[in-house]
Amino acid sequence: MNYQVLGKPRDRVDGRLKVTGSALYAGDRHPENLAYGYLVTSCVAKGSIRSMDTSKAEQGPGVVAVYTPFRPLKLYAPLSREEGGGPGDEQPPLQDRGIRFYGQIIGLVVANSFEQARDAAALIRTEYDPAKPVLTWDEGLPHAFAPKSIEEEGSTATVLAPGVTHIDDVIRQAPVSIEVTYREPMNHHNPMEPHATTAIWDGDRLEIYEATQGIISHRRTVASVLGVDEDRVHLLCPFVGGGFGCKGSMWMHSPVTAAAARDLKRPVKTVLTREQMFTLVGHRPALIQQVALAATPDGALQAVKHEVQSTVATSKVFIEAAAHRTSRFLYKSPNIQVSQKLVPLDVGPPTFMRAPGVAPGMFALECAMDELAVKLNLDPVELRMRNYAEIFPGKNVPWSSKNLAECYRIGAEKFGWSQRRSEPGVRLEGEWLAGVGMASALYPAHRGGASAKVRLLADGTAEVSSATQDLGTGTWTVLAMVGAEYLGLPVDRVRPALGDSMFPPAPVSGGSQTVASVGTAVRKAAESAIQKLIRLAVSNAKSPMHGLAPETVSYDAGYLAADNRRVAFADVLNAVDRGAVEAVESIDPLSHDGRYAYHSFGAQYCEVKVNRYTAEVRVQRVTTVMDIGQVVNLKTARSQVMGGVVFGIGLALLEQSLLETGSGRFANANMSEYLVATNADVPYIDVAFVEKPDLVFSPVGARGVGEIGISGIPAAVANAVYNATGKRVREFPITPEKLLLGESGSPRISVI
Amino acid sequence: MRPFRFTAVTSLDQLGPPGPQTSFIAGGTTVVDLMKLEVMTPDELVAIDQLPLRGIREDAGGLRLGALETMSAVAAHPAVAGGYQVISESLLQSASAQLRNMATIGGNLLQRTRCSYFRDVHSACNKRVPGSGCPAITGENRMLAILGTSASCIATNPSDLAVALVVLDAQLRLRGTGGGVRTVPLRDFYLEPGDRPDRENVLQPGELITEVLVPRPAAGTKTGYVKVRDRASYEFALTSAAVVLNMDGDRVRKAEVAVGGVGTKPWLLPQVGAALNGRALDRTNLEAAASLAANGAKRYPDNGFKVELIQRTVVRAFSRLGGLV
Ligand SMILES: Cc1cc2nc3c(=O)[nH]c(=O)nc-3n(C[C@H](O)[C@H](O)[C@H](O)COP(=O)(O)OP(=O)(O)OC[C@H]3O[C@@H](n4cnc5c(N)ncnc54)[C@H](O)[C@@H]3O)c2cc1C
Ligand code: SF4
């Protein structure tokens, strides 16, 4: 494929705004007469509020209003996802006195400054009638239940070879098998930018600045909770400081803030604190996963069985589909069974977090594959190649495009995998033990319905707009690049616009779908705008091409050409006295007609060192090769993969949300104790792509890159830790104490 | 944050007797943080950062550090980095570059515990509200202490610098509200929690740390700091060890070690040093000495691993200094 613009590295068009601090985020707005909201949250996990004494708070300096369940703002239940909404929490706050989780919104203080609101909120005295919450696996497991369906299959999905009645029979009789259990804690997204809402009413019209991954669904949902027509809500979100999923839903601070602004007839802004972000905007559930693999002595899988238990909130079901999105199809096996149960806890609502289902599922599956490789005495890459799936197991359809084998091969070469020593615990380098590990990567490809507008202007430039959003991933630049590609213009002549609900609707930026969805709409709108230009050029009497048959006129690189004439589109527009010609086009969501499966794949290799005395793990280098279809912007695509790898390092080694089992509070709800990787934890990351445009999937050939980078790294790190030390840690994060415990569980002092 | 008065002083004479709720502010990285959380609620802040308590000097007796010197300035000073590596290393592995540029030596020694219940005003905590209870003993205590704990409190002292200064036997110069000065060895400065975890040190109300005096180690002494933590930077210690080693040929003339992350105060381990003195520095002797490191330790549900980890940390620190790895 010969692209002029796509696939090349390109600086962000909004880079300068970002680094000079002139990009204004939702919390940076200061409309005239602004008041500041501060959320009051519950300090018990379950029960009800008996009373709230707000008298001191109301008398606090600068306090404008204090809203509580005893002095509520009317809010309605949000539209569901099926109705085009996108609620994170389905219950609007302040409408009753019930407590469903620690940190739930139970009030909003509005004052003339943020500090006044915060300080007044601290003066509210709340009495509860607490009930005993369910907060541990042991307490929750008796209430475990299976959801109706997961990923369009049953909560248990089974593929069995002819004659097999139960997968366990195969596992029991197989020459080689392993059965292992993996655990991981809850995680929190912690984007740098906190959620923020600034609401400004003008009569019955609402202008609202939000930090959201979905302008259109957020607008619809907030309108439904406020009980207003969404057409009267104008939502703006030009920049987002990271989302990772926790801005993919509308959370309740948004309508509470807007309702207060309506009540007070004054703009109100609420910015969440870091601690509030641990309970009010979602988390990744905790999981216990059991994987059983059975194989022939030469490594052909006979059975893959993957059982998942994941936590949910008592008040909100969210399925972290760890097995259905991974083990269900990654390897060819005559017998496959994936199943999942949900374990309800009295915690805030869980939600999607970067590579939902996939990141934890691949930890379990890809570590289990490594354990099997060791048992079979096979190279882990070879084991994967021996079980390479050419078709989606049980459905017998091919992938729209799959180049995973190439990823393994290129990755192994770049990394120097052949130098690996398969015997664990033998590479001692000073006070460190070194080891290498690998894992596959994957992520489903999504393409939603989207629309875009393309305008060709009389000054020779073009505009591309869509009500999509840029999470920091580079969507601004992608819009300009796709527009430039299909208009045949240099990128700097194309002005992108997004982040405004007035533009043509676009889907939530989740599931790594924005480039494929919006990019496709932009391509269609660009082609349509060119057709309109040609029609205008031949039909308008003042046009230099008037009277020509439209099919004889072609468009190339900003010019219309016919016979031997070449006219710039700006000249056509000026001749006919038009400021612009424009087209709006929509595309439907990708139809799953059952002919193909759609996934991106990759291979990830890493080297770690583990201190032989004190067992800290440090990642030394990473090689990652991704098959994501056409790369649109090589520079930001690399950044996405790198960011995913950094996330994966955090998952493997650092991140854990400590849920206090007595209170339901997260004990480390701050950036000092919820550990994400620092620069010192991140080594050189070698990123490569297998560039094979997937035109079956999307007309721009791209499948999306936002999430896949995280998917294999946690297992690759864990496998490298095994290779370095000879110890399997099956519980994330891999912290020193988990490596130190002797096999018997008894600590001892000789070096590991 | 509660409303408070703010005054700034430029000379020591301006310091009057403190009110019951007066607090000094130096770099502010502890005090402002805790005021925002309403863990500290002073009604008056006295800014001391303009006081003439600066200067990093070395003379025959040793090192003199003005209490208002920043962590980064001390860490980078040639005299410190040259002759007192354990101080530089402990500082450079503390906090972040931005914090080290703001935070002072005096403030560092008086920072408060990171126990998450102490920092949450909705939780009980004997240190914050005496008599209210200690949820950490049965709750989240991975980061907390195994040495010097009591039934009232198991919080760790989080300062890295203090561990280094304890092993070097540093002294604090203190100035009382009446202008009287006294010198207190850092080894005697901190208090174990006992049944009064709200009392953390021997500082009197209004008393100021003016200077830190560090005796010069004997010629040929090596010092170093090893900090064990989950991530490579910007985290408090799981365990740490500040070690001093003076060799006589292949025998240890004098070894000293203090440890962090495990004690309710920076914890000196004289028994470990004593077990090494006069012996060859080899693995067997090191492991035997280090096995005494956790003497008297009490394990709590999440932090029992520190009993082993601290022994390993001590072995690692001496091995590094002694060139065994
Ligand atoms: C995110 C984070 C991470 C950190 N990580 C580490 C770490 O890894 N290791 C580590 O050791 N520290 C760490 N710290 C703590 C940091 O080192 C301290 O906050 C800092 O040293 C305090 O110094 P300051 O000058 O800012 O003190 P301030 O906040 O100004 O004061 C602290 C206390 O000391 C009192 N005080 C200050 N100076 C004097 C004086 N001269 N005489 C008497 N009283 C005085 C104040 O009244 C106050 O009570 C971290 C802090 C943060 C916020
Ligand atoms: S350990 Fe100390 S600081 Fe922590 S809760 Fe108990 S009393 Fe408070």
Side-chain angles (χ1 to χ4, degrees), chain A residues 43 119 431 611 613-614 616 618 660 665 667 672-673 675-676 681 736-737 740 747-750, chain B residues 1 38 114 116-117 120 122 140 142 229-232 235 305 308-309 311-312 316 319-320 325:
Chain A
C43 295
D119 298 349
E431 54 180 272
N611 192 278
Y613 298 103
T614 48
E616 308 100 297
R618 302 285 182 250
E660 249 176 46
R665 179 178 83 102
S672 171
E673 279 134 295
L675 304 183
V676 298
D681 297 287
E737 65 265 42
L740 283 184
R748 71 218 133 59
I749 174 97
S750 71
Chain B
M1 191 179 281
E38 301 206 347
R114 303 297 299 193
S116 103
Y117 303 93
D120 172 44
H122 302 295
E140 293 297 338
R142 175 173 186 258
R229 44 186 165 173
D230 299 316
R231 72 178 166 191
E235 194 193 0
F305 69 93
E308 184 186 4
L309 189 61
Q311 299 174 47
R312 289 167 165 269
R316 178 175 165 190
S319 300
R320 236 174 36 123
V325 287

Side-chain angles (χ1 to χ4, degrees), chain B residues 23-24 26-31 95 103-104 108 110-111 160 209 227 236:
Chain B
S23 176
F24 295 132
T29 60
T30 287
V31 81
T104 64
N108 184 292
L110 295 171
Q111 65 178 292
D160 290 297
I209 302 178
K227 180 172 178 180
F236 291 93

Side-chain angles (χ1 to χ4, degrees), chain A residues 648-692:
Chain A
I649 292 173
L651 257 182
L653 301 178
L654 302 169
E655 298 191 34
Q656 55 179 331
S657 304
L658 301 173
L659 179 64
E660 249 176 46
T661 53
S663 65
R665 179 178 83 102
F666 284 103
N668 58 341
N670 57 67
M671 294 307 289
S672 171
E673 279 134 295
Y674 183 88
L675 304 183
V676 298
T678 63
N679 279 333
D681 297 287
V682 178
Y684 174 69
I685 302 169
D686 180 12
V687 178
F689 297 100
V690 177
E691 283 201 61
K692 299 256 172 82

